[in-house]
Amino acid sequence: MSPRNVTVLDYGSGNIRSAVRALEHAGASVTLSAKPDDVLNADGLVVPGVGAFAAVMQGLKDVDAIRMIGRRVAGGRPVLGICVGLQVLFDEGVEHGVRTKGMGEWPGVVERLAADVVPHMGWNTVTPPEGSALFEGIEDQRFYFVHSYGVQKWDFDVTQPAMRPPQVTWADHGGPFIAAVENGALAATQFHPEKSGDAGAALLNNWLKTLG
């Protein structure tokens, strides 16, 4: 099987090179780009995100990525968000009392974690749902997190009987928060698979398998 073509979205977010290297290590042919042809036509698109919710949203707007991500999702073309790349897929983020509108792909608000120690930095276990494609074979592994904010409630209404509800993976740091979501072509992780050693490599490999 020829390598899957993956575009890592280049919009000014930090730490993109490690995502590129991890995907290449997992067997993908990787392009770092924000050009519409590369973003729209790749087998898979990875949206990394580091830093503040509002800054990431602005960076995405600056390269017209929100429209392009929406087009990919509407067409069933796979997208994987990482860290703040997960957070911006929700309705809104609240940082230092400032509310910023997100992409609204999923309902929910990104808020400061309720833990005594923030940021949540380091390795943690996750609880994936039955039948998760991302976590197949790595359900009991630990993943690397670096974040102060997260989505702590999930309230998703299935309006069509035939619709399969998103699969949500949880983790805990001072209370439960969303560690990953799998929703058809759209998936995202709050942790950094590119910093999560063998477990992260296996997760990226699982995601690449879904691009077929």
Side-chain angles (χ1 to χ4, degrees):
M1 191 172 78
S2 60
R4 294 287 168 226
N5 294 312
V6 173
T7 292
V8 173
L9 186 65
D10 186 10
Y11 66 98
S13 175
N15 199 40
I16 280 181
R17 293 284 167 198
S18 58
V20 170
R21 283 195 299 271
L23 285 156
E24 287 174 341
H25 186 66
S29 171
V30 185
T31 303
L32 179 58
S33 176
K35 292 178 184 168
D37 272 1
D38 295 331
V39 172
L40 293 170
N41 297 325
D43 296 325
L45 174 69
V46 173
V47 182
V50 175
F53 187 104
V56 169
M57 279 300 291
Q58 189 57 54
L60 294 171
K61 286 175 184 167
D62 289 346
V63 297
D64 197 27
I66 291 169
R67 181 186 66 83
M68 293 191 288
I69 291 166
R71 272 186 64 185
R72 282 193 67 96
V73 172
R77 306 296 305 280
V79 176
L80 176 67
I82 295 174
C83 196
V84 187
L86 168 140
Q87 295 178 3
V88 293
L89 293 167
F90 285 86
D91 284 333
E92 62 177 355
V94 181
E95 292 187 356
H96 310 297
V98 178
R99 289 181 177 269
T100 303
K101 192 170 164 44
M103 287 192 230
E105 293 288 344
W106 301 316
V109 180
V110 179
E111 299 175 288
R112 189 172 171 83
L113 296 173
D116 292 338
V117 178
V118 174
H120 171 218
M121 187 181 293
W123 298 85
N124 202 346
T125 54
V126 301
T127 309
E130 193 79 30
S132 162
L134 275 187
F135 292 93
E136 185 182 358
I138 47 171
E139 296 88 352
D140 300 327
Q141 297 297 310
R142 293 157 75 85
F143 297 88
Y144 192 81
F145 291 84
V146 185
H147 63 120
S148 300
Y149 296 83
V151 180
Q152 294 154 71
K153 295 192 195 86
W154 176 260
D155 187 15
F156 188 92
D157 289 330
V158 175
T159 50
Q160 300 160 334
M163 182 181 177
R164 189 176 176 212
Q167 294 180 294
V168 180
T169 294
W170 293 87
D172 196 284
H173 182 69
F177 67 88
I178 291 175
V181 182
E182 297 165 74
N183 182 199
L186 185 60
T189 66
Q190 176 62 69
F191 55 83
H192 288 272
E194 77 280 10
K195 294 180 180 176
S196 296
D198 290 345
L203 182 134
L204 291 174
N205 202 272
N206 284 343
W207 180 67
L208 291 174
K209 285 182 198 164
T210 71
L211 307 189

